[in-house]
Amino acid sequence: MSMIAESLEHLVSGIVDEPEAVRVNEKSLRRGKLLEVRVAPADLGRVIGRNGRTAKALRCVATALSTNGSVRVDVIDQERH
């Protein structure tokens, strides 16, 4: 797991009520990295935040940590997948 994925997992774990359920999967795509954040269904709203503000802040931090700025962060709804 990369430093960006580890940092993102640490940040998200501090936000949620069930930190042991936090998983960050890293995938390499043509355009860069994709980080899929999975949390307990009850914590999904907490990670997304009001009007998506928390998710946007997490994306901003991940982009700042990226060396080339090409990283995408998706919060995955486990009930749908």
Side-chain angles (χ1 to χ4, degrees):
M1 189 182 311
S2 71
M3 185 264 308
I4 300 170
E6 288 178 11
S7 300
L8 187 62
E9 187 171 316
H10 179 74
L11 286 171
V12 173
S13 294
I15 295 171
V16 299
D17 289 332
E18 296 181 44
E20 64 280 351
V22 175
R23 299 285 179 265
V24 177
N25 297 325
E26 184 175 359
K27 296 180 180 180
S28 293
L29 304 175
R30 272 187 246 145
R31 293 185 182 178
K33 291 183 182 178
L34 169 64
L35 300 174
E36 294 180 334
V37 179
R38 297 177 191 273
V39 296
D43 289 327
L44 189 61
R46 191 174 282 243
V47 173
I48 294 172
R50 185 173 296 193
N51 295 324
R53 288 184 187 151
T54 305
K56 184 176 179 182
L58 291 170
R59 288 182 182 106
C60 185
V61 170
T63 301
L65 291 173
S66 173
T67 55
N68 58 3
S70 62
V71 63
R72 197 172 103 201
V73 177
D74 285 346
V75 180
I76 305 296
D77 186 354
Q78 290 188 10
E79 292 180 349
R80 290 187 173 195
H81 288 89

